[in-house]
Amino acid sequence: MEGNGTADKFVYDFAEGNKDLKDLLGGKGANLAEMTNLGLPVPAGFTITTVACQRYLASGEHVDGLDEEITSHLTKLEESMGKRLGDPADPLLVSVRSGAKFSMPGMMETVLNVGLNDESVAGLSAQAGGNDRFAWDSYRRLIQMFGKTVCDVPGDEFEQALHNAKTVKGVRDDTDLDAGDLKQLVSAFKEVFAKHTGHDFPQDPREQMDRAVAAVFRSWNADRAVLYRRQERIPADLGTAVNVVAMVFGNLGADSGTGVAFTRDPATGEQGVYGDYLANAQGEDVVAGIRNTVPLQDLEGMDSKSYEELLGIMATLEGHYRDLCDIEFTIERGKLWMLQTRVGKRTAAAAFTIAAQLIDEDVIDLDEALRRVTGAQLAQLMFPRFDLEGDPEVVTKGVGASPGAAYGEVVFTAARAVELAAEGKDVILVRRETNPDDLPGMIAAQGILTSRGGKTSHAAVVARGMGKTCVCGADQLEVSPSSFVVGKYTVNEGDVISIDGTTGKVYLGEVPVRPSEVVQYFEGDLDPALANEPLVAAVHQLMTHADERRRLAVRTNADTGPDAARARRFGAQGVGLCRTEHMFLGDRRELVERLILAEGAEQRQAALNALQPLQRKDFLELFREMNGLPVTVRLIDPPLHEFLPSLEDLAVHVAVAKERGESAKRSEKMLAAVRRMHESNPMLGMRGVRLGLVVPGLFAMQVRAIAEAAVALAKEGGKPRPEIMVPLVGAVQELETVRVEAEKIIAEVVGDSGVEILIGTMIEVPRAALTAGQIAEAAEFFSFGTNDLTQMGWGFSRDDVEGAFFWRYLELGIFGISPFESIDREGVGRLVRIASEEGRATRPDLKLGVCGEHGGDPESVHFFHEVGLDYVSCSPFRVPVARLEAARAVVSVARG
């Protein structure tokens, strides 16, 4: 646990905490405490800790001593404010807000105006100088939020009642309803509440507060919160803190309001004044996007004093946190109050740009800059963008809230987005505004388009956090359940649109895409005019430092010269996996069929002789592209029958031929071969080293082709560095047998050419990991095949289980993430650690790498650094990501 919090203390006043107590006080509570300590205008309040939440959820509601602590701190709050909670004559009202360690925007609950009831609404009006409209507006908000949050009353029914009130009045905006209208609306809301709960809205202020606190605790396990944590890889056992804060009101009139500000543009990183403001409103109106906001700059003309004070506080907070800050504030009759700050979520482009800016401003050093960006963000920057040369038709423009280029079929509900995405279709989720219940659809969609809200709305904040393209506030859109209309255009569900999250433009149809500038930079194909663009310059600066700091080398998985060449441009330092079986596909499949169908040694050798020059040509091309760098060639791994047509197709073909009286001798021969080689579980059958030991000459042909290609490159003046990798070894005797034959061939071919060829093995069978000390006696390197090691370690058939039950395992929290995506540290990772330690105990200079898909996964790269591997290998596109994460692994450890 961070800081010096005491686990047995459940409640902290803001003056008792600080920003380092996020584990205990949550991000919101810790930062409210920090702003209080900085002397900024923060309403009084206290925080109920995450420990209290954990115990509440574990105990089924009762936590010994919690009620007494809350009472004690509430009493202090009442004394400091000179008011009592819900006092009919002069009520203290509070907000009850969630606040976990990690920001989870909109995923958990908030209840405002707690303490209001039928009597205290008059006292609130008196506090506001007889402003009855404000008092009744505050009361209807409490009933609506309390009903939906605490009692699960359908929010749509409150919205319908509000819509009916505006329809009767003949107005469009909430602000056009007067005190009498709102008083009637309170009565309507109470009827909705009673219909769904079976009892009246509670009038006891303390009961309201206690039930709101409990609802916030329970919201930690709400479906949307669980889904968001899974998406963002947030641990499920942290719990949320609860912040009880004295209310300040932005809905008192034109001299009041609420807003959200960023100290830099969260989309681009540019410095300036960014944010949204809404006069005569409470904070939830801004986040929910219920009314369209005005730019923060407009506040200067409305209330210059508060605007200048806000700019000063923004500068203070960015200087204090040394990062972009996201700030929520309220102005109550000209008085500015700070309600929240946090290190702001930002787009991938902004993350890199801001990190570079802060380096230039001497705020952070290069190592800290690496900690501020991630491989996932770099991957986002490598996605393509729209190619607008065809002048696509723009139907409308909104606010570019989260950059990217996305296209797909229009859908209008989260459920429909999930349904079509499961069918493999790209979709764009279109809503008036999103709410937390839309999260599954937002995850499923390629992009999100809303007609309301701005850069700080729910849709914008969540989309930026997920790296999803998002356009908000396209207020020309008239959205209905199955279509939207904008000007002369009507777009129905199923029609295709394209949205640009940078410019905010919406296009009809599918707009073609072009490579990103970042990919062009890595390819060395960037227009010189763009070389000094802030984003490209930032990527160059941080990647240069990353290469200086990382210990792990980064290789690529490549089977062809062009793939190897591209990976080398992306920074690959060799090939960690060349899959030779991929060289047997296409036109060469017939030669493999000849090998499989060979009758006797002579026919088999003839087939191998035909394959050898083709293999040699392939290897020479690969060695040339990686001249001077290591190239690990894996000998053939999959079962041979995979190169033949399927059993079902052959059986049908033979049956049809017989029915027609046609000859099908070759097909019959292949069918017999397929049946002969059929295995119940081919992944555990005749493949890898077993294939090489059983099929005479197969591995020998490949070893000879590798050696001959290396010698040919050496004769050209090149520097080949081939490494021969034997797959699926489970016992040292298997490797020793292959090695004896391989060394004879290598010695014969290499002669005095000076070419050196290493021989090693993949560690992908659990037994190999557990006997690595023995296997290292015959291996000069290990490369961990973590795909198969995961399959065999878990007993999973990957092709079957991911669709069959992984969804349920993820839902139940058995997995935080699929073990095929990120290394299972405790199980498969332990096998890697054991093999590394025992292998090097036998052979201290043993080279260690990984060539499974985990080699490009950011979290896994950190683990491989910790274990002491020498390199990771991944697909060409992931090479820059692995380079960055390898450096971040170093600086994360350095910070300690």
Side-chain angles (χ1 to χ4, degrees):
M1 187 174 294
E2 298 176 4
N4 298 312
T6 302
D8 293 329
K9 179 177 167 64
F10 292 131
V11 185
Y12 285 70
D13 287 330
F14 290 162
E16 296 179 285
N18 60 65
K19 65 180 176 63
D20 296 323
L21 288 176
K22 289 182 181 178
D23 275 0
L24 188 66
L25 304 180
K28 186 175 295 181
N31 289 324
L32 283 168
E34 192 73 11
M35 288 195 294
T36 299
N37 295 335
L38 289 172
L40 301 182
V42 176
F46 55 85
T47 299
I48 305 168
T49 67
T50 57
V51 175
C53 176
Q54 293 161 11
R55 296 195 184 176
Y56 175 91
L57 296 175
S59 67
E61 296 193 1
H62 182 71
V63 180
D64 290 339
L66 178 59
D67 286 347
E68 292 79 3
E69 280 198 55
I70 291 175
T71 298
S72 172
H73 286 268
L74 177 61
T75 300
K76 292 179 183 177
L77 176 60
E78 290 173 330
E79 290 172 353
S80 70
M81 299 295 294
K83 303 174 184 178
R84 286 189 304 106
L85 182 69
D87 182 358
D90 189 18
L92 168 67
L93 304 184
V94 297
S95 64
V96 178
R97 297 174 179 264
S98 63
K101 176 181 179 180
F102 299 103
S103 175
M104 296 172 58
M107 295 305 111
M108 292 180 292
E109 303 297 1
T110 292
V111 184
L112 305 180
N113 308 326
V114 172
L116 266 181
N117 58 26
D118 293 348
E119 295 181 356
S120 60
V121 67
L124 182 63
S125 175
Q127 285 180 2
N131 189 338
D132 287 346
R133 187 201 179 281
F134 153 70
W136 288 105
D137 183 45
S138 298
Y139 194 16
R140 70 94 182 170
R141 289 172 184 270
L142 169 63
I143 298 170
Q144 183 175 4
M145 298 180 79
F146 190 94
K148 184 179 177 182
T149 297
V150 180
C151 300
D152 297 322
V153 177
D156 290 346
E157 295 209 21
F158 290 121
E159 290 294 337
Q160 187 60 49
L162 177 58
H163 176 76
N164 293 344
K166 290 187 287 187
T167 300
V168 169
K169 183 79 172 180
V171 299
R172 179 179 177 180
D173 293 328
D174 304 358
T175 51
D176 294 323
L177 298 176
D178 62 24
D181 302 322
L182 290 167
K183 186 174 182 179
Q184 290 179 14
L185 185 59
V186 164
S187 296
F189 276 12
K190 284 182 176 180
E191 290 177 6
V192 170
F193 184 93
K195 181 179 76 171
H196 284 279
T197 64
H199 56 78
D200 293 336
F201 181 77
Q203 297 294 301
D204 180 3
R206 179 61 190 268
E207 178 189 350
Q208 291 177 10
M209 190 182 82
D210 288 344
R211 292 178 66 182
V213 169
V216 173
F217 282 159
R218 292 194 302 272
S219 71
W220 176 254
N221 286 330
D223 289 345
R224 63 176 184 251
V226 172
L227 181 60
Y228 186 86
R229 288 200 299 272
R230 186 184 308 147
Q231 177 78 10
E232 300 297 315
R233 301 190 188 184
I234 296 172
D237 59 353
L238 297 180
T240 181
V242 181
N243 299 286
V244 178
V245 189
M247 284 295 303
V248 291
F249 298 97
N251 57 334
L252 276 167
D255 61 350
S256 303
T258 189
V260 177
F262 298 93
T263 58
R264 298 173 192 245
D265 189 336
T268 67
E270 294 180 13
Q271 293 176 286
V273 179
Y274 298 95
D276 299 312
Y277 182 71
L278 197 55
N280 195 20
Q282 288 195 304
E284 296 307 300
D285 297 338
V286 176
V287 176
I290 292 171
R291 287 162 52 198
N292 279 349
T293 58
V294 299
L296 185 60
Q297 294 93 322
D298 290 7
L299 178 60
E300 184 175 20
M302 302 177 184
D303 184 348
S304 60
K305 175 178 174 293
S306 295
Y307 179 75
E308 292 301 325
E309 184 181 2
L310 177 63
L311 292 187
I313 290 173
M314 289 167 65
T316 296
L317 288 172
E318 181 170 290
H320 184 71
Y321 284 89
R322 301 191 305 150
D323 206 345
L324 174 149
C325 288
D326 170 354
I327 298 163
E328 293 181 18
F329 66 93
T330 284
I331 298 172
E332 183 182 86
R333 288 184 167 172
K335 167 65 176 174
L336 176 67
W337 293 96
M338 307 306 296
L339 304 185
Q340 179 175 342
T341 191
R342 59 191 172 201
V343 173
K345 288 186 178 292
R346 68 214 61 194
T347 64
F352 277 82
T353 303
I354 291 170
Q357 289 171 346
L358 294 175
I359 294 169
D360 294 341
E361 295 166 18
D362 291 326
V363 175
I364 62 175
D365 61 18
L366 281 161
D367 279 4
E368 180 61 27
L370 290 180
R371 297 183 191 108
R372 302 273 180 97
V373 297
T374 68
Q377 290 168 334
L378 181 59
Q380 288 178 30
L381 296 179
M382 297 172 72
F383 293 150
R385 304 185 182 192
F386 284 141
D387 184 347
L388 303 177
E389 288 187 5
D391 195 23
E393 194 169 7
V394 178
V395 296
T396 191
K397 182 179 180 181
V399 177
S402 184
Y407 59 82
E409 295 182 19
V410 170
V411 296
F412 294 92
T413 66
R416 186 63 173 158
V418 171
E419 179 185 347
L420 292 186
E423 296 175 6
K425 295 180 179 179
D426 294 333
V427 298
I428 302 293
L429 178 62
V430 179
R431 305 282 284 158
R432 288 191 182 92
E433 69 271 335
T434 62
N435 62 60
D437 294 330
D438 289 321
L439 183 64
M442 297 176 75
I443 292 173
Q446 298 300 306
I448 299 110
L449 170 64
T450 70
S451 62
R452 300 177 182 171
K455 284 189 176 182
T456 57
S457 65
H458 174 268
V461 173
V462 173
R464 277 198 299 274
M466 294 192 298
K468 291 277 184 181
T469 301
C470 181
V471 174
C472 290
D475 53 11
Q476 295 179 354
L477 295 185
E478 296 180 21
V479 180
S480 67
S482 60
S483 67
F484 70 78
V485 177
V486 53
K488 63 180 182 180
Y489 304 100
T490 298
V491 177
N492 297 306
E493 181 166 306
D495 292 345
V496 174
I497 63 172
S498 301
I499 61 173
D500 189 327
T502 302
T503 65
K505 292 181 179 179
V506 180
Y507 304 91
L508 278 183
E510 180 181 329
V511 178
V513 294
R514 60 178 173 82
S516 77
E517 287 85 353
V518 172
V519 169
Q520 292 174 319
Y521 157 72
F522 285 127
E523 291 269 26
D525 191 32
L526 183 68
D527 183 339
L530 298 175
N532 292 320
E533 286 289 313
L535 174 58
V536 175
V539 170
H540 173 74
Q541 183 180 26
L542 269 63
M543 292 303 294
T544 299
H545 185 61
D547 287 337
E548 293 170 353
R549 289 292 276 138
R550 62 187 170 89
R551 180 191 61 76
L552 279 171
V554 177
R555 299 193 196 179
T556 191
N557 301 340
D559 311 322
T560 67
D563 281 350
R566 186 176 204 208
R568 190 162 190 172
R569 292 193 297 273
F570 279 2
Q573 296 163 286
V575 171
L577 176 63
C578 167
R579 294 166 285 245
T580 54
E581 58 269 14
H582 288 182
M583 300 172 175
F584 293 162
L585 302 176
D587 295 339
R588 302 179 185 180
R589 187 183 291 270
E590 183 180 350
L591 294 176
V592 183
E593 291 176 0
R594 285 172 52 190
L595 173 64
I596 295 170
L597 301 177
E599 296 178 354
E602 186 175 339
Q603 287 188 12
R604 182 173 58 248
Q605 191 58 49
L608 291 170
N609 290 344
L611 282 168
Q612 184 178 319
L614 300 176
Q615 288 261 273
R616 180 171 61 241
K617 179 176 176 291
D618 293 333
F619 296 141
L620 180 56
E621 178 186 41
L622 201 59
F623 294 161
R624 281 177 179 150
E625 294 295 351
M626 284 292 172
N627 185 30
L629 297 176
V631 176
T632 303
V633 180
R634 181 179 73 184
L635 302 182
I636 188 168
D637 182 37
L640 286 181
H641 68 77
E642 289 192 5
F643 298 97
L644 296 177
S646 72
L647 179 64
E648 293 79 7
D649 289 347
L650 282 170
V652 170
H653 180 74
V654 170
V656 170
K658 286 182 177 180
E659 181 72 22
R660 295 174 177 174
E662 300 171 353
S663 174
K665 287 184 179 181
R666 182 171 178 80
S667 294
E668 288 175 354
K669 193 173 182 180
M670 279 197 284
L671 179 58
V674 169
R675 283 175 171 160
R676 184 179 68 251
M677 293 186 291
H678 175 73
E679 297 173 304
S680 297
N681 192 340
M683 292 304 296
L684 298 178
M686 184 66 74
R687 54 170 289 220
V689 67
R690 304 156 193 171
L691 197 62
L693 294 176
V694 171
V695 180
L698 180 57
F699 276 7
M701 177 274 292
Q702 292 193 296
V703 170
R704 186 173 294 276
I706 293 167
E708 288 177 352
V711 171
L713 181 59
K715 288 180 178 177
E716 294 174 3
K719 296 181 178 179
R721 294 177 55 190
E723 301 174 348
I724 295 174
M725 181 159 67
V726 183
L728 215 70
V729 164
V732 67
Q733 293 86 352
E734 293 172 313
L735 182 58
E736 287 172 340
T737 304
V738 174
R739 186 181 185 98
V740 168
E741 182 180 27
E743 286 178 334
K744 289 179 181 178
I745 296 169
I746 292 170
E748 174 190 333
V749 175
V750 168
D752 59 359
S753 65
V755 172
E756 294 184 3
I757 302 178
L758 301 182
I759 299 176
T761 186
M762 288 187 81
I763 301 292
E764 50 192 332
V765 177
R767 188 182 190 281
L770 297 173
T771 61
Q774 297 174 22
I775 293 175
E777 295 173 1
E780 292 164 287
F781 67 87
F782 287 168
S783 181
F784 291 96
T786 52
N787 298 343
D788 271 349
L789 195 58
T790 298
Q791 287 200 100
M792 297 187 200
W794 278 92
F796 288 153
S797 172
R798 180 176 184 176
D799 292 338
D800 299 319
V801 299
E802 290 193 293
F805 63 81
F806 267 28
W807 62 272
R808 181 59 172 160
Y809 272 42
L810 291 165
E811 186 178 83
L812 293 171
I814 295 171
F815 295 152
I817 186 172
S818 164
F820 291 108
E821 291 182 45
S822 194
I823 194 77
D824 159 32
R825 286 177 172 244
E826 290 78 18
V828 176
R830 186 160 182 235
L831 291 173
V832 172
R833 192 183 296 274
I834 289 169
S836 299
E837 293 173 353
E838 296 190 3
R840 281 191 169 150
T842 296
R843 188 187 291 265
D845 62 348
L846 183 71
K847 188 184 299 185
L848 300 174
V850 61
C851 60
E853 291 181 21
H854 298 99
D857 169 64
E859 290 295 322
S860 302
V861 170
H862 286 242
F863 172 75
F864 297 135
H865 169 82
E866 294 170 18
V867 171
L869 269 57
D870 296 302
Y871 69 87
V872 296
S873 188
C874 54
S875 66
F877 192 81
R878 301 290 291 180
V879 166
V881 173
R883 288 165 53 200
L884 177 62
E885 288 297 342
R888 283 173 34 80
V890 173
V891 299
S892 296
V893 172
R895 183 167 63 175

